[in-house]
Amino acid sequence: MTDVPVSRIRNFSIIAHIDHGKSTLADRLLQATGTVKSREMKEQFLDNMDLERERGITIKLQAARMSYIAHDGLEYILNLIDTPGHVDFSYEVSRSLAACEGALLVVDASQGVEAQTLANVYLALENNLEIIPVLNKIDLPSAEPERIAAEIEELIGLDCSEAVRASAKEGVGIPEILEELVKKVPAPKDTVDQPLRSLIFDSYYDTYRGVVVYFRVMDGTVKKGDRVRFMASGQEYVIDEVGILAPNQIQVDSLHAGEVGYLAAAIKMVEHARVGDTITSALNPAIEALSGYIEAKPMVFCGMFPTDADQFEDLREALEKLKLNDAALNYEPESSNAMGFGFRCGFLGLLHMEIVQERLEREYNLDLIVTAPSVIYQVTTIKGEVVLIDNPSELPNPQERTKIEEPYVHLDIMTPQGYIGTLMELCETRRGIYIDMKYITKDRATLTYEVPLAEIVTDFFDQMKSRTKGYASMEYEVIGYRENDLVKVDILVNDEPVDALACIAHRDKAYTLGKNLVSKLKELIPRHQFQIPVQAAIGTKILARENIPAMRKNVLSKCYGGDVSRKKKLLEKQKEGKKRMKSIGTVDVPQEAFMAILQLNQS
Amino acid sequence: MMALPLISPNICNLEPQGFYIHIPFCRRKCFYCDFAITTGKTELQEHYVEVLCQEIALIAKESFPYTAALKTIFFGGGTPSLLKPCQIDEILQTINRYWAIANNAEISIEINPGTVTVESVKAYRSLGINRISIGAQAFQDQLLDLCGRGHSVTEIYEAVAATKQAGLDNFSLDLISGLPTQTLSQWQESLSQAIALEPKHIAVYDLTIEPSTAFNKRYRAGVNPLPNDESTVEMYLMARDRLQGAGYNHYEISNYALPNYQSRHNLIYWHNQPFYGAGMGATSYINQYRIDRPQKMREYLAMVEAWTQGNSPINPPQISDREALFDTLMQGLRLAQGISFEHLINRFGSASIQETIPQLEAYSPHWVTISPTHLYLTQPEGWLFSDEVIGSLFTYFFDCPHPI
């Protein structure tokens, strides 16, 4: 089965914006090549995390090997390497693209190219991939394949005269796509004789086999029993199992240059076999690793605390397990006066954070309170030391620091022209610096700004979507640190500062932020038996104050008759509600309050 | 067979002496209502009465050897007055086939304005019904409209007049405070109008926004146009003030009665005593088994059908003495007189008191009063915070299931 000549292998991935039909198309390809029988077909086969299927987006990427007999009568091996479709995971995308020679560019024939897609196309071009444009969803009445084809030509400079018109949903265009792959995507280079070099594009932890590594063999051959070295981590392991992904794992004896597969070697954690690392032979190592390896660094931080203090150890274990599988996840113990013991966790971005939170809650049954996300600040102290602060409550006092620098991103937003005004306004209110605006077609433009990352990790994305009815899309990349006049805004509940609610903001925005936060908290914190003042302050200077009036009643006067069970259900709800709150002194604060900063409507 | 229950000797003396019958039909569903109701047609009503009578017979069979005569029967709804008097008669006769009904039994029916006439009330009376509960709710057409009540203020007066003309003077009025847009002066007016009609009993409910109601889609508790807590507390206190001034005793958190006119049927609930129950959504409490019947018509009909075949569709665990103690406290604290220590000792032993008192001391004397003989919520302040007090007992009893 593995004995295919390199000349008849085609490695490709699919580039598409969320909702443009990538998963459906992948499903159709698997069906058309008989890789997955129709009756086994779950919708969106490649996305196998529950969360992914629910949200219809790919987070962990996957691969599938298909066998296809082309019109020339020869059998070809098509390896589809799926890519995650979110900005948090652009590094993973770049690695899976590096494992391919070609890519299908799938564009919704009524919506056109989005920023995310564009960024990925550029990544593909950088990796020298052959790009085959596919105009999808042509069955929709709103489809305008001509206009979109013109847009792609203008935008990317890609010849679209032979673009495949498809409807993955209806199965239209699938045979044409398969033929195009064989004809246009170059075969991998035949470097079977060289020392082994394999590129890791994904890995996951399996309880029984250790880390399972997905890779593309770039040079040489790899087989069961080989001792291999992971060049970046320096770890060595003996391979227990080599196989292909069809898309279920099937063991084979060996894999050679051009092929895509998996290996298991009782690898202890994903960190030992990170995405982008090069696998080589321990006995006959390659001189140089494959280029492009970067260690993913967390950019967004938040505190995660168990609602029930007894779950602290469970949370630690759960994070340890997730970490086995997620090299980009960072965490260290944190103790907060309001929240007790928990962890300060670092993520690639907001989505990554949300995913981890949901997995902890769903898969590990933990009840969590999560603080508002923060970025990492560089603070220079009066002693001239530079410290990295990822937790606002740890910011040194004003008299102990000389400056604070914050991360900035280069932000590209693609939008229909009608929304340029409102998007510019959004960027300005988020302290954005205007860089450029280009019309990519006569009615679509790219706006470029440099914006502090802290302004992006709140509700920027949601704001952008709601201001443009969902039409705009964005892409950003961290470009470095810049000094700003930043201050720490403290929140005091019943005269006690709450560390978990502290945030860092620009001085000019601190007053509005404080005012909004305080009035939001007034809504979120329930009445108690006494009046509760809620204040925002910079140091000793009070920016805003609201009072939560004392509770006047807590009574259910309705006569449920004999329906005692029902009243008890309500009491149970009241009890659970109280349990999910954190006590700050004598005040019970609900979980939502700690995310209040995200809920502020800053528009 | 339905798991009704061998009788444990220590509560043999607690035989059910009340019977709740649920009549789920309504012309339309009020916007605040989340009771088990259905807007079914006449044919369905006939079928329902038939099935209900089957259920009553099954209950009788299972409840052997209970023999005590019934002291209360309550037709609740829904709108029981949508049934024809002959259907009520059929239900009462079925009950009477299996149980003795005490001579002075309280037999109540809930009616809605717009669904009764002098003739129908007379017919009820001839069947032995001696108490009528009228869902007035408000005395402003605009508020009735807003609640989706489907009747006018005039129809409230007509219903009361019909009741009185039929010679039935033991009637109760229901009122709701805290309605959307309701002002204090409107509330004062409703109270005055209600008092002027000289009911024997008045129930005053503070509106709760229940999840599956039309109100829940439109309004948020405490947020305009719903009155804020300050206003609803004022309404509560105003009702207490006005009604007590008119001679009514505030004998339960939301119920007022002239002397000797307390709702005897509801007192069974508040004393946490056993009672029979039949009909869609009805609960029964027999030998410390609390059985909640299905809230949906189809499921209820299927349940009785299965029961006829000998399959018990519901089989909840028996309530432990400890849970029964909590229930007794929860229900009893609704009453002005509260719970007597003697009763607690007789039913649950003296340890029950030693355990309960320390949980309540923190609330004494502002919310809870501990007298030498009774335990009760301090009035009216304790009633306004009753769910704080009961909630803390709930947390105590259910988070620490074993006595210290």
Side-chain angles (χ1 to χ4, degrees):
Chain A
M1 187 168 191
T2 63
D3 223 10
V4 230
V6 175
S7 62
R8 275 193 263 137
I9 298 176
R10 301 290 182 270
N11 294 323
F12 71 102
S13 69
I14 304 179
I15 296 171
H17 189 71
I18 300 161
D19 294 340
H20 283 199
K22 177 172 74 168
S23 302
T24 316
L25 176 59
D27 288 350
R28 290 293 165 267
L29 295 176
L30 295 182
Q31 277 176 318
T33 54
T35 312
V36 175
K37 293 194 185 74
S38 293
R39 66 182 159 81
E40 295 167 1
M41 199 79 198
K42 284 182 266 181
E43 210 175 313
Q44 305 189 357
F45 201 89
L46 286 180
D47 299 345
N48 65 6
M49 276 170 66
D50 282 351
L51 204 69
E52 294 180 20
R53 196 163 295 127
E54 270 169 37
R55 295 173 169 222
I57 53 170
T58 318
I59 299 155
K60 286 302 270 186
L61 40 99
Q62 295 282 334
R65 173 172 169 139
M66 297 170 263
S67 158
Y68 169 65
I69 299 176
H71 292 174
D72 61 12
L74 296 171
E75 182 181 2
Y76 288 82
I77 293 301
L78 308 180
N79 286 308
L80 163 60
I81 299 175
D82 200 12
T83 57
H86 191 274
V87 59
D88 284 1
F89 302 97
S90 57
Y91 172 68
E92 276 80 352
V93 177
S94 79
R95 292 307 84 200
S96 19
L97 293 177
C100 300
E101 278 80 24
L104 296 174
L105 168 61
V106 178
V107 179
D108 185 320
S110 51
Q111 308 237 334
V113 184
E114 307 283 351
Q116 178 71 58
T117 320
L118 200 59
N120 289 344
V121 173
Y122 289 140
L123 274 176
L125 291 171
E126 271 169 38
N127 282 293
N128 218 6
L129 265 52
E130 179 67 34
I131 293 171
I132 300 169
V134 174
L135 301 169
N136 195 23
K137 302 198 188 181
I138 50 153
D139 55 310
L140 295 184
S142 57
E144 296 177 80
E146 309 300 332
R147 183 174 71 78
I148 303 300
E151 186 178 300
I152 298 172
E153 287 190 353
E154 271 178 70
L155 261 177
I156 308 168
L158 204 61
D159 179 7
C160 281
S161 55
E162 291 178 39
V164 183
R165 295 175 182 207
S167 162
K169 202 168 127 235
E170 305 291 327
V172 176
I174 304 300
E176 290 80 354
I177 291 173
L178 288 167
E179 255 334 278
E180 289 279 292
L181 284 169
V182 168
K183 269 197 309 204
K184 292 203 173 143
V185 175
K189 284 196 200 102
D190 190 346
T191 50
V192 178
D193 302 335
Q194 294 181 16
L196 172 68
R197 287 203 298 180
S198 293
L199 174 65
I200 302 178
F201 59 83
D202 193 19
S203 58
Y204 72 92
Y205 184 81
D206 178 289
T207 327
Y208 302 106
R209 299 183 292 167
V211 175
V212 175
V213 178
Y214 287 8
F215 61 92
R216 147 86 191 268
V217 187
M218 304 305 284
D219 309 313
T221 304
V222 63
K223 60 178 191 303
K224 188 174 163 174
D226 282 356
R227 186 173 186 84
V228 290
R229 179 185 304 157
F230 295 87
M231 296 181 83
S233 70
Q235 300 286 328
E236 289 189 9
Y237 288 96
V238 175
I239 297 176
D240 297 329
E241 192 184 330
V242 176
I244 56 165
L245 301 153
N248 300 320
Q249 297 176 355
I250 296 171
Q251 285 202 44
V252 297
D253 297 331
S254 69
L255 291 169
H256 60 68
E259 286 190 291
V260 174
Y262 75 94
L263 66 80
I267 302 166
K268 290 190 201 76
M269 55 199 302
V270 165
E271 233 174 33
H272 292 174
R274 281 180 179 245
V275 170
D277 201 349
T278 304
I279 309 168
T280 190
S281 158
L283 293 176
N284 179 22
I287 301 157
E288 242 185 301
L290 297 161
S291 60
Y293 175 73
I294 305 169
E295 202 164 300
K297 277 199 217 88
M299 289 310 299
V300 175
F301 293 81
C302 72
M304 288 191 170
F305 298 86
T307 316
D308 177 354
D310 293 344
Q311 285 194 327
F312 176 77
E313 279 308 317
D314 299 343
L315 175 57
R316 180 202 296 281
E317 273 172 36
L319 283 167
E320 265 166 23
K321 281 191 195 139
L322 287 184
K323 171 79 183 166
L324 291 175
N325 211 354
D326 184 347
L329 170 68
N330 272 21
Y331 63 94
E332 53 187 60
E334 179 186 6
S335 128
S336 145
N337 66 0
M339 320 284 256
F341 292 101
F343 292 92
R344 192 80 195 159
C345 304
F347 307 94
L348 296 172
L350 269 190
L351 181 75
H352 186 208
M353 170 175 137
E354 240 179 86
I355 291 163
V356 170
Q357 183 190 347
E358 280 204 44
R359 293 191 65 183
L360 289 170
E361 290 184 338
R362 274 192 213 195
E363 294 169 31
Y364 296 92
N365 252 328
L366 295 164
D367 249 344
L368 296 178
I369 294 188
V370 178
T371 63
S374 152
V375 300
I376 194 155
Y377 295 92
Q378 278 182 11
V379 180
T380 309
T381 66
I382 43 171
K383 290 182 198 142
E385 288 167 328
V386 176
V387 285
L388 296 178
I389 298 295
D390 61 37
N391 186 345
S393 67
E394 285 168 8
L395 187 71
N397 291 325
Q399 60 273 23
E400 287 163 21
R401 59 181 199 236
T402 55
K403 63 174 178 179
I404 308 178
E405 290 162 290
E406 62 177 328
Y408 267 69
V409 300
H410 175 99
L411 170 73
D412 283 321
I413 304 180
M414 290 186 63
T415 175
Q417 61 151 19
Y419 303 114
I420 290 173
T422 175
L423 286 174
M424 287 179 94
E425 190 203 328
L426 175 66
C427 291
E428 313 274 309
T429 61
R430 300 305 171 93
R431 299 190 281 136
I433 301 160
Y434 173 84
I435 301 296
D436 194 15
M437 183 178 77
K438 274 198 201 104
Y439 273 88
I440 40 189
T441 61
K442 64 178 187 310
D443 51 8
R444 275 159 66 82
T446 308
L447 271 175
T448 304
Y449 272 82
E450 288 174 4
V451 188
L453 177 61
E455 300 281 351
I456 304 273
V457 300
T458 55
D459 63 342
F460 188 93
F461 184 77
D462 294 340
Q463 278 291 320
M464 178 196 77
K465 284 290 178 191
S466 74
R467 282 170 182 238
T468 62
K469 302 194 171 72
Y471 280 115
S473 59
M474 66 183 253
E475 169 75 8
Y476 66 82
E477 154 184 43
V478 177
I479 49 174
Y481 277 80
R482 288 181 197 170
E483 184 182 351
N484 268 322
D485 186 8
L486 300 175
V487 291
K488 184 173 83 160
V489 178
D490 285 313
I491 298 294
L492 294 91
V493 174
N494 209 19
D495 298 321
E496 261 189 74
V498 183
D499 54 6
L501 287 171
C503 50
I504 293 174
H506 194 273
R507 189 180 297 279
D508 296 347
K509 296 180 85 180
Y511 173 73
T512 323
L513 175 75
K515 224 177 94 191
N516 292 345
L517 255 179
V518 159
S519 63
K520 190 81 204 169
L521 288 172
K522 187 187 173 186
E523 262 174 52
L524 292 171
I525 298 176
R527 292 180 178 210
H528 283 58
Q529 289 163 35
F530 43 87
Q531 173 178 290
I532 305 164
V534 180
Q535 294 157 290
I538 300 175
T540 53
K541 191 179 143 218
I542 303 297
L543 301 172
R545 174 186 170 118
E546 293 263 15
N547 288 325
I548 299 170
M551 174 167 51
R552 290 303 313 278
K553 64 168 189 185
N554 179 8
V555 55
L556 236 167
S557 75
K558 194 149 132 192
C559 175
Y560 281 119
D563 197 351
V564 165
S565 354
R566 178 163 160 156
K567 168 92 183 190
K568 283 201 271 194
K569 263 179 218 148
L570 289 168
L571 290 171
E572 179 67 30
K573 236 171 103 186
Q574 174 176 302
K575 179 173 83 135
E576 285 309 307
K578 282 199 173 152
K579 218 166 130 192
R580 286 183 69 86
M581 294 198 227
K582 278 286 168 184
S583 301
I584 293 170
T586 48
V587 180
D588 291 332
V589 179
Q591 197 166 353
E592 298 78 48
F594 297 100
M595 290 297 272
I597 194 161
L598 277 184
Q599 300 169 8
L600 292 181
N601 189 354
Q602 301 188 4
S603 59
Chain B
M1 299 299 270
M2 189 162 189
L4 276 182
L6 289 174
I7 296 155
S8 74
N10 61 330
I11 51 167
C12 249
N13 55 335
L14 291 174
E15 276 196 38
Q17 296 181 334
F19 209 131
Y20 177 80
I21 303 289
H22 192 71
I23 306 298
F25 302 102
C26 281
R27 282 194 180 145
R28 48 189 291 186
K29 188 161 188 163
C30 303
F31 298 152
Y32 54 79
C33 172
D34 74 335
F35 280 116
I37 72 119
T38 173
T39 46
K41 298 279 172 308
T42 327
E43 308 82 71
L44 181 60
Q45 295 178 6
E46 276 159 22
H47 182 53
Y48 180 78
V49 170
E50 197 180 304
V51 172
L52 180 67
C53 290
Q54 282 174 19
E55 193 200 356
I56 293 169
L58 287 162
I59 294 168
K61 210 158 85 189
E62 304 274 333
S63 303
F64 180 79
Y66 288 146
T67 51
L70 297 174
K71 289 185 178 159
T72 71
I73 298 173
F74 194 102
F75 287 91
T79 312
S81 48
L82 286 178
L83 291 192
K84 294 184 212 114
C86 64
Q87 292 173 309
I88 302 281
D89 185 30
E90 195 183 333
I91 298 166
L92 278 172
Q93 285 201 26
T94 308
I95 293 175
N96 206 196
R97 198 169 302 144
Y98 302 102
W99 285 272
I101 299 177
N103 274 340
N104 57 348
E106 174 194 275
I107 305 179
S108 313
I109 187 167
E110 288 183 332
I111 66 124
N112 267 341
T115 63
V116 283
T117 58
V118 184
E119 288 67 40
S120 65
V121 180
K122 274 188 179 155
Y124 292 153
R125 231 190 121 194
S126 71
L127 301 175
I129 286 174
N130 49 26
R131 185 175 181 273
I132 283 196
S133 171
I134 303 172
Q137 317 309 2
F139 280 85
Q140 296 78 22
D141 282 332
Q142 165 234 339
L143 288 182
L144 291 173
D145 229 38
L146 210 91
C147 293
R149 284 290 296 167
H151 65 79
S152 63
V153 175
T154 312
E155 282 168 307
I156 298 176
Y157 291 125
E158 287 167 2
V160 171
T163 303
K164 287 181 174 171
Q165 272 177 46
L168 220 165
D169 65 349
N170 183 6
F171 70 95
S172 173
L173 289 178
D174 283 357
L175 294 176
I176 303 181
S177 63
L179 291 170
T181 76
Q182 190 177 33
T183 62
L184 278 168
S185 63
Q186 284 175 324
W187 179 237
Q188 190 163 8
E189 186 189 4
S190 286
L191 290 168
S192 306
Q193 300 294 329
I195 292 167
L197 291 171
E198 299 182 320
K200 301 292 188 219
H201 186 279
I202 298 180
V204 172
Y205 299 120
D206 181 20
L207 178 74
T208 326
I209 302 291
E210 302 290 349
S212 55
T213 60
F215 268 8
N216 188 50
K217 294 211 166 70
R218 266 177 250 167
Y219 308 119
R220 255 184 64 204
V223 178
N224 193 32
L226 285 181
N228 59 21
D229 285 3
E230 279 71 18
S231 311
T232 56
V233 165
E234 207 172 323
M235 289 180 189
Y236 186 84
L237 297 177
M238 183 189 276
R240 177 177 164 85
D241 201 45
R242 300 291 307 243
L243 295 174
Q244 283 185 336
Y248 293 89
N249 292 323
H250 194 179
Y251 75 103
E252 193 263 355
I253 236 169
S254 31
N255 284 278
Y256 296 81
L258 294 178
N260 298 320
Y261 282 101
Q262 297 185 358
S263 162
R264 280 157 53 199
H265 183 79
N266 282 340
L267 282 169
I268 291 178
Y269 303 146
W270 297 323
H271 288 140
N272 198 31
Q273 288 169 343
F275 55 89
Y276 299 107
M280 174 181 132
T283 297
S284 57
Y285 182 47
I286 306 169
N287 191 28
Q288 272 178 229
Y289 284 91
R290 211 178 273 291
I291 294 168
D292 300 326
R293 284 152 187 75
Q295 303 265 334
K296 296 215 168 80
M297 182 59 81
R298 198 179 320 137
E299 288 165 25
Y300 167 72
L301 297 176
M303 181 209 83
V304 178
E305 171 70 29
W307 196 0
T308 324
Q309 312 290 324
N311 302 319
S312 159
I314 26 179
N315 196 358
Q318 193 174 22
I319 287 177
S320 67
D321 284 345
R322 196 170 167 74
E323 192 168 347
L325 167 61
F326 170 76
D327 292 352
T328 304
L329 293 167
M330 173 174 90
Q331 297 292 79
L333 286 173
R334 296 181 65 106
L335 291 168
Q337 76 168 59
I339 305 146
S340 89
F341 290 135
E342 195 191 338
H343 173 74
L344 283 182
I345 294 169
N346 286 341
R347 194 160 164 192
F348 302 103
S350 52
S352 64
I353 298 183
Q354 286 153 21
E355 209 188 333
T356 306
I357 300 285
Q359 308 314 318
L360 295 175
E361 267 163 356
Y363 299 115
S364 165
H366 297 296
W367 291 354
V368 174
T369 305
I370 304 166
S371 86
T373 60
H374 282 78
L375 182 65
Y376 57 88
L377 293 178
T378 312
Q379 289 134 41
E381 201 58 17
W383 268 341
L384 285 169
F385 292 94
S386 60
D387 281 0
E388 289 288 304
V389 177
I390 292 167
S392 81
L393 284 176
F394 182 81
T395 305
Y396 172 75
F397 276 95
F398 290 90
D399 278 359
C400 148
H402 305 293
I404 7 169

